Amino acid sequence: MNLHLKITFRTFIIWLLASFINAFLCAGWRGLNNHISNEVPGDALFIFFISLFFSAPGFFIFWIILLVKLAKGIYERALFRAPLSTGFLLATATAIICLGLIKSEFSTDKYVVILFIISSSMISIMMHFNQFKKINKHA
């Protein structure tokens, strides 16, 4: 498979997985704090789609940075460090912007939500460490 397609596919999977993890964490937190367990699945689905929406610009920036790194001949572990640092910065920026737009919903838990957004991004990227190690110029 073409290296650019591998990076595109990997980036897309990371984006979906980060949104899923974020939805699971946030919905679980809301359910535990509000003692409402029957609304958690609906909250998780709603948060998943909201997370996808707010993180879409970051997804494209993340993807472009990975393609640039690949074009510069950066592979394996060095290629993994690029999404890790980029993902952290983009997740932090996305969390701050997202909470600024919907601050009334998360007024008491805003720092927990920021932590969940950043954590979900980092977990999703780290889960793909072995796949980034396999990407080289001969793949």
Side-chain angles (χ1 to χ4, degrees):
M1 184 186 290
N2 182 340
L3 286 178
H4 294 91
L5 287 176
K6 280 184 180 181
I7 289 294
T8 300
F9 180 71
R10 187 69 44 218
T11 304
F12 184 73
I13 295 300
I14 288 171
W15 179 48
L16 289 176
L17 187 59
S19 294
F20 175 76
I21 293 169
N22 183 49
F24 178 75
L25 291 173
C26 288
W29 179 260
R30 282 179 49 109
L32 288 173
N33 276 352
N34 297 333
H35 306 290
I36 305 171
S37 60
N38 61 344
E39 292 182 9
V40 170
D43 284 349
L45 188 62
F46 177 73
I47 293 169
F48 174 74
F49 286 114
I50 292 296
S51 181
L52 283 176
F53 177 76
F54 279 111
S55 63
F59 161 71
F60 287 113
I61 294 168
F62 184 82
W63 177 56
I64 290 168
I65 288 174
L66 282 177
L67 290 177
V68 167
K69 294 292 185 183
L70 191 64
K72 289 183 177 182
I74 297 172
Y75 302 106
E76 299 171 353
R77 287 181 185 253
L79 183 63
F80 174 73
R81 286 189 294 271
L84 201 58
S85 59
T86 303
F88 178 77
L89 293 173
L90 289 172
T92 303
T94 300
I96 292 168
I97 291 169
C98 174
L99 291 177
L101 293 174
I102 55 174
K103 59 187 164 199
S104 62
E105 184 68 27
F106 298 106
S107 60
T108 59
D109 300 331
K110 64 182 172 184
Y111 297 113
V112 173
V113 173
I114 289 174
L115 177 68
F116 286 162
I117 291 171
I118 294 169
S119 297
S120 63
S121 174
M122 295 294 96
I123 290 168
S124 178
I125 293 168
M126 286 190 254
M127 288 175 72
H128 291 86
F129 174 71
N130 287 332
Q131 284 78 19
F132 278 106
K133 274 187 4 183
K134 292 177 186 176
I135 295 176
N136 58 45
K137 58 183 153 194
H138 303 296

